[in-house]
Amino acid sequence: QVQLVESGGGLAKPGGTLTLGCRASESIFNFPVMAWYRQAPGAERTWVARITTGGNSYHADSVKDRFTIRRAYNENKMYLQMDSLNPEEEAVYYCHTDSFWGQGTKVLVSS
C-alpha cells in the first residue's frame, strides 16, 4: 500500500556527485526507519544507509564520509547525497522502509 518512488539517478563522473530522492505516498513520520540499498548487475542487494525518525543515521563503511542520508519531512522525502562517486558504486539504488521497496533508480558512474 505504501508507495516509494526514487529519483535523481543518472550519469556521474568518477569523483562526482549525485543526490537521490525517495518520495513516499504518506508522511515519513510513519516510518521509524528508512533506508537506501543498492544492487550492482549480477550482485546481491546491499545496505547503504538508514535513518530513523529520531534523527539517527548510519552508513555502510564503504560509503561513510562520502554519502549522507537525510529526511525532508515537509516533502515526504528521503535523500541520499553521494559525493566522490566510484565506478564500483554504479548500481540501481533502492529506497526501503518496513516491508516496502521502491522500483529503484539507476546510477551510472563513468568518464
Side-chain angles (χ1 to χ4, degrees):
Q1 291 181 340
V2 174
Q3 296 178 38
L4 303 171
V5 180
E6 299 93 340
S7 62
L11 177 63
K13 300 292 186 183
T17 296
L18 281 177
T19 298
L20 308 180
C22 171
R23 177 185 57 78
S25 58
E26 59 190 72
S27 172
I28 62 172
F29 280 112
N30 294 341
F31 309 132
V33 180
M34 299 184 73
W36 287 98
Y37 289 74
R38 64 188 177 190
Q39 187 168 20
E44 295 297 311
R45 191 170 300 185
T46 60
W47 170 76
V48 175
R50 67 178 180 268
I51 185 167
T52 71
T53 51
N56 298 313
S57 62
Y58 308 86
H59 300 78
D61 286 346
S62 61
V63 308
K64 184 163 54 73
D65 299 326
R66 296 186 299 113
F67 290 14
T68 304
I69 190 170
R70 69 177 179 92
R71 295 184 187 228
Y73 287 100
N74 61 321
E75 301 173 0
N76 288 352
K77 287 184 75 173
M78 175 182 68
Y79 291 93
L80 183 70
Q81 181 176 319
M82 306 184 295
D83 296 327
S84 301
L85 281 162
N86 300 316
E88 65 266 27
E89 290 164 330
E90 183 171 296
V92 177
Y93 284 71
Y94 296 90
C95 178
H96 175 261
T97 189
D98 195 26
S99 62
F100 303 101
W101 294 89
Q103 295 202 118
T105 185
K106 184 179 291 186
V107 172
L108 181 67
V109 185
S110 176
S111 61

